[in-house]
């Protein structure tokens, strides 16, 4: 099926690695024009340098989503380079592996700032461009932690729940402007953070065996971690004009790890 993404323009935050980079790659493969950003100039350049993009199809620059002015400037440059914006993927973020007793007041402030600024700043900047599109769409990359929190990820779980609530509110707020807002909630995805945690665990297990034990411990029905490409497929599908009657929803990409029916 033609997803109708060719010659449209999309902005993806956090495109230096993982889900963000996979989403950029998937959009380019569909013939879209894409802008992306990251905080580390060297990592961003290395990542985008490996992508196969037609001339003028890819715009990238350094930007910290916590800086509202920097985000606004980057978004305007991106829209000018791509000829507008039809969609926004809010992907920048990370998980904070700490329990209640391990978290400080500053940890809470940092986590909430990153999660909420990572959506609100890009959205405010992109909103006029999305409003001008005939298929404006926003996808917020979230996590199943929003629905089933873990005490070892207490700050991230709380922030993720807030973002899920915010996304639902935004879908109602922006519907009248022709902008759809949806969420993709991830389970355990095989990205750089898990290879780093495997190294830090120093378990003596190979990465494959460590992954299998992790999947069993977390109750993942499919018995494995997901891939960034599997998440990108869901993100791109929700961005697509073909999903024009879908807004305010949350799609779980988690290998069946859900413990409830909601």
């Amino acid at each position: 099926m033609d997803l109708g993404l060719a010659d449209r323009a999309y902005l993806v935050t956090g495109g230096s690695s993982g889900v963000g980079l996979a989403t950029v790659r998937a959009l380019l493969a569909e013939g879209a024009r894409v802008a992306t950003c990251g905080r580390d100039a060297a990592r961003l350049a290395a990542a985008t340098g490996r992508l196969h993009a037609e001339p003028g199809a890819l715009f990238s620059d350094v930007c910290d989503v916590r800086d509202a002015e920097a985000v606004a400037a980057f978004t305007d440059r991106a829209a000018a380079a791509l000829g507008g914006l039809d969609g926004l993927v809010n992907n920048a973020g990370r998980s904070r592996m700490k329990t209640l007793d391990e978290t400080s007041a500053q940890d809470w402030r940092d986590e909430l700032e990153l999660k909420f600024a990572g959506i609100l700043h890009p959205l405010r900047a992109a909103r006029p461009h999305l409003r001008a599109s005939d298929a404006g769409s926003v996808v917020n990359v979230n996590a199943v932690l929003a629905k089933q929190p873990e005490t070892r990820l207490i700050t991230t779980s709380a922030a993720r729940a807030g973002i899920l609530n915010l996304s639902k509110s935004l879908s109602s707020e922006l519907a009248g402007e022709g902008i759809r807002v949806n969420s993709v909630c991830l389970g355990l995805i095989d990205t750089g953070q898990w290879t780093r945690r495997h190294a830090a665990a120093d378990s003596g297990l190979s990465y494959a065996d460590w992954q299998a034990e992790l999947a069993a411990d977390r109750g993942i029905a499919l018995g494995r971690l997901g891939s960034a490409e599997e998440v990108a497929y869901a993100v791109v599908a929700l961005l697509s004009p073909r999903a024009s009657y879908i807004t305010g929803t949350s799609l779980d990409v988690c290998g069946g790890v859900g413990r409830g029916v909601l």
Side-chain angles (χ1 to χ4, degrees):
M1 175 184 289
D2 179 3
L3 294 178
L5 297 166
D7 297 322
R8 291 191 178 273
Y10 298 92
L11 191 157
V12 180
T13 65
S16 296
S17 63
V19 170
L21 181 58
T23 301
V24 171
R25 186 181 294 111
L27 286 168
L28 290 172
E30 291 291 328
R33 303 185 303 279
V34 187
T36 193
C37 62
R39 288 188 294 168
D40 187 309
R43 287 185 67 202
L44 182 64
T48 55
R50 294 191 297 269
L51 295 172
H52 300 290
E54 296 295 324
L58 178 63
F59 175 84
S60 65
D61 206 349
V62 175
C63 183
D64 187 334
V65 294
R66 295 170 296 186
D67 184 334
E69 291 185 0
V71 170
F74 166 72
T75 302
D76 286 344
R77 292 196 303 274
L82 302 182
L85 290 175
D86 296 291
L88 168 66
V89 179
N90 289 313
N91 169 71
R94 64 177 184 272
S95 295
R96 190 178 297 268
M97 185 72 79
K98 289 186 176 182
T99 64
L100 176 63
D101 290 337
E102 294 168 339
T103 55
S104 65
Q106 190 61 48
D107 286 329
W108 283 99
R109 286 190 288 269
D110 290 346
E111 187 70 3
L112 293 172
E113 179 189 16
L114 176 60
K115 293 299 187 293
F116 283 89
I119 288 178
L120 293 173
H121 290 167
L123 177 60
R124 284 179 179 137
R127 187 175 176 181
H129 305 290
L130 299 176
R131 191 187 298 126
S133 171
D134 64 350
S137 179
V138 177
V139 175
N140 295 324
V141 178
N142 205 335
V144 292
L145 290 171
K147 305 174 185 179
Q148 46 191 50
E150 295 186 20
T151 56
R152 55 193 152 184
L153 288 159
I154 192 166
T155 55
T156 298
S157 295
R160 292 294 190 189
I163 290 304
L164 189 62
N165 189 294
L166 173 63
S167 297
K168 185 68 172 180
S169 297
L170 291 173
S171 70
S172 297
E173 186 84 8
L174 301 180
E177 300 177 19
I179 302 171
R180 298 182 298 108
V181 182
N182 292 291
S183 299
V184 171
C185 289
L186 316 185
L188 272 62
I189 306 301
D190 186 9
T191 57
Q193 66 173 327
W194 289 109
T195 57
R196 291 191 293 272
R197 289 177 184 177
H198 168 250
D202 194 24
S203 64
L205 296 174
S206 69
Y207 185 51
D209 289 342
W210 184 81
Q211 263 201 60
E213 283 199 356
L214 180 64
D217 177 66
R218 300 297 180 89
I220 300 174
L222 293 183
R224 63 177 177 86
L225 273 62
S227 71
E229 289 71 24
E230 288 172 312
V231 180
Y233 171 79
V235 173
V236 168
L238 287 174
L239 279 178
S240 167
R242 301 295 185 192
S244 57
Y245 202 52
I246 302 175
T247 194
T249 195
S250 170
L251 176 60
D252 290 355
V253 183
C254 62
V257 74
R259 295 188 293 270
V261 295
L262 296 179

